[in-house]
Amino acid sequence: MQLKNDLLIRAAKGEPVERTPVWLMRQAGRILPEYRAVRESLSGFKELVETPEFAAEVTIQPVDILDVDAAIIFSDILVVPEAMGCTYEMVEKRGPWFPNTIRTEADLKKLRVADPHEHLHYVLDAIKVTKKALNGRVPLIGFAGAPWTIMAYMVEGSGSKTFSHARGMLYTNPTLAHQMLRMITDTTIAYLKAQVEAGANLIQIFDSWAGILTPAHYREFSLPYISEICNAIRDVPVTVFAKGAFFALEDFAKLNCETIGLDWNMEVAQSRAQVGPNKTLQGNMDPCLLYSSFDTIQKETIKMLKEFGPQRHIANLGHGVYPDTDPEKVKCFVQTVKEYGEFRS
């Protein structure tokens, strides 16, 4: 299907664009009353994720309401461990919780390399439903968590400030860690390939807990597996977003991906110098900017755009939009990116 708005794809590939494309991580979610209305009609988060028609509806909402240049399929990175046999629960106001963790060889034997068509069909169906409903208006982004981030949840059992159990395993049983990462990587590659086959126009890999590792551990336990995923997904552009991994930007320059996501702690000029001219950069506004005045949002957004320059940039926040953000402030950010781009041209 021909895309009516292909700015995101062209920017990712380094092709000329008339203006900077813009979307937001976690744009489909709690900031929108329309999302909350759908969520409250269901039993909970997991029913929403696992029901293709509802997942498609909330995927498209930010395209209609916020006027962003891309949709990202409504799902969660934790569908991968669930598909592998490590189920999770989403506890209101607390986040994910795993009743059973993976900390021993016996635990690992209970896992499988998941078949996406059997164990993650609801995500693939949601992509198909969404693509049909979008009718080529904007690209659809598919995604998965990086293997280290997925492993961190499976070992820890929940979110954590330290992930001490997961990080500890890298010292006490690195062989088991690599075995688990191998299974997660194999599952993720098959899953992302299936997303592309279902219609995803671009893939993003989220390494949410990259920044808690030492540089040496990151290069051993995360980077090689991300590289393998990038090498396997070549039919559509791939973005790698590794929060806190400022120490690995030069390594990311060597990945077989098109775009590197920056968090708000990463300085633009320095990041560009480290990544080089041949990657697109995505980001990296501080999500807390959206708590400020409309004038401040406009000024800071234009400042950001000037720092990145008009090409090889996808405007985004440096992390997901926070749930108590005013949607009107998000619209201000989006429209400032669009209007500044038009002004420059």
Side-chain angles (χ1 to χ4, degrees):
M1 182 183 294
Q2 189 72 27
L3 287 170
K4 300 177 180 71
N5 176 350
D6 66 348
L7 282 170
L8 180 74
I9 304 300
R10 283 190 281 139
K13 292 180 176 180
E15 298 172 1
V17 292
E18 305 83 62
R19 65 166 175 82
T20 302
V22 56
W23 69 281
L24 296 92
M25 290 179 281
R26 292 189 178 170
Q27 65 188 16
R30 292 170 288 178
I31 64 165
L32 297 177
E34 294 84 354
Y35 164 84
R36 291 196 294 271
V38 175
R39 170 76 180 269
E40 289 166 7
S41 71
L42 304 172
S43 63
F45 175 82
K46 289 185 74 172
E47 185 182 0
L48 179 52
V49 166
E50 295 170 6
T51 309
E53 291 74 20
F54 290 126
E57 180 179 352
V58 297
T59 296
I60 296 170
Q61 283 175 349
V63 179
D64 294 334
I65 300 164
L66 304 176
D67 200 25
V68 287
D69 290 312
I72 181 166
I73 194 65
F74 187 84
S75 186
D76 196 278
I77 64 171
L78 300 182
V79 299
V80 165
E82 176 130 301
M84 295 177 66
C86 186
T87 61
Y88 74 100
E89 298 174 11
M90 195 61 76
V91 182
E92 195 69 30
K93 297 183 179 179
R94 287 185 56 190
W97 178 67
F98 289 80
N100 299 296
T101 55
I102 309 299
R103 298 184 182 178
T104 67
E105 291 184 19
D107 295 332
L108 189 66
K109 289 178 180 178
K110 298 174 185 176
L111 299 183
R112 64 191 169 219
V113 173
D115 178 343
H117 298 284
E118 179 181 353
H119 305 117
L120 290 161
H121 58 86
Y122 55 89
V123 180
L124 308 182
D125 290 343
I127 290 173
K128 293 172 185 175
V129 173
T130 303
K131 285 285 287 189
K132 184 176 180 180
L134 281 172
N135 195 29
R137 289 167 59 196
V138 295
L140 178 61
I141 302 168
F143 70 91
W148 154 249
T149 286
I150 298 301
M151 176 194 150
Y153 280 109
M154 294 169 77
V155 175
E156 205 71 27
S158 65
S160 169
K161 292 182 179 179
T162 62
F163 282 93
S164 55
H165 291 291
R167 288 167 51 217
M169 182 185 287
L170 307 184
Y171 291 99
T172 61
N173 199 340
T175 300
L176 182 64
H178 278 299
Q179 289 173 337
M180 193 184 314
L181 290 164
R182 174 78 268 142
M183 293 180 72
I184 296 168
T185 301
D186 290 345
T187 295
T188 301
I189 288 173
Y191 177 43
L192 290 176
K193 284 185 173 182
Q195 288 189 42
V196 174
E197 290 170 5
N201 300 105
L202 185 143
I203 292 297
Q204 179 153 315
I205 301 166
F206 287 89
D207 206 357
S208 305
W209 299 111
I212 65 172
L213 292 180
T214 67
H217 269 173
Y218 194 74
R219 292 185 176 101
E220 179 180 355
F221 293 99
S222 186
L223 198 62
Y225 297 102
I226 291 176
S227 179
E228 191 174 336
I229 294 168
C230 290
N231 290 340
I233 310 298
R234 299 313 312 145
D235 292 334
V236 300
V238 174
T239 298
V240 174
F241 174 64
K243 187 176 182 298
F246 60 90
F247 51 79
L249 285 171
E250 291 182 8
D251 298 298
F252 293 152
K254 301 169 188 174
L255 290 175
N256 197 6
C257 69
E258 284 69 27
T259 301
I260 303 298
L262 304 182
D263 67 45
W264 72 90
N265 291 310
M266 296 178 180
E267 199 273 330
V268 175
Q270 183 180 353
S271 298
R272 173 53 77 192
Q274 290 178 285
V275 171
N278 299 320
K279 301 286 188 193
T280 295
L281 297 180
Q282 177 175 278
N284 68 331
M285 187 58 71
D286 184 349
C288 285
L289 171 73
L290 300 182
Y291 293 139
S292 66
S293 69
F294 290 99
D295 284 345
T296 301
I297 292 169
Q298 289 174 336
K299 289 174 184 176
E300 291 297 318
T301 300
I302 291 171
K303 179 183 175 183
M304 178 191 73
L305 292 168
K306 287 180 177 177
E307 287 187 75
F308 277 102
Q311 303 296 325
R312 299 222 80 145
H313 176 220
I314 297 167
N316 207 315
L317 304 179
H319 196 241
V321 62
Y322 297 145
D324 59 346
T325 304
D326 180 354
E328 294 303 315
K329 302 289 183 70
V330 178
K331 291 178 186 177
C332 178
F333 173 74
V334 171
Q335 288 308 310
T336 302
V337 173
K338 290 188 168 188
E339 290 166 11
Y340 181 69
E342 292 169 0
F343 176 75
R344 285 182 299 166
S345 63

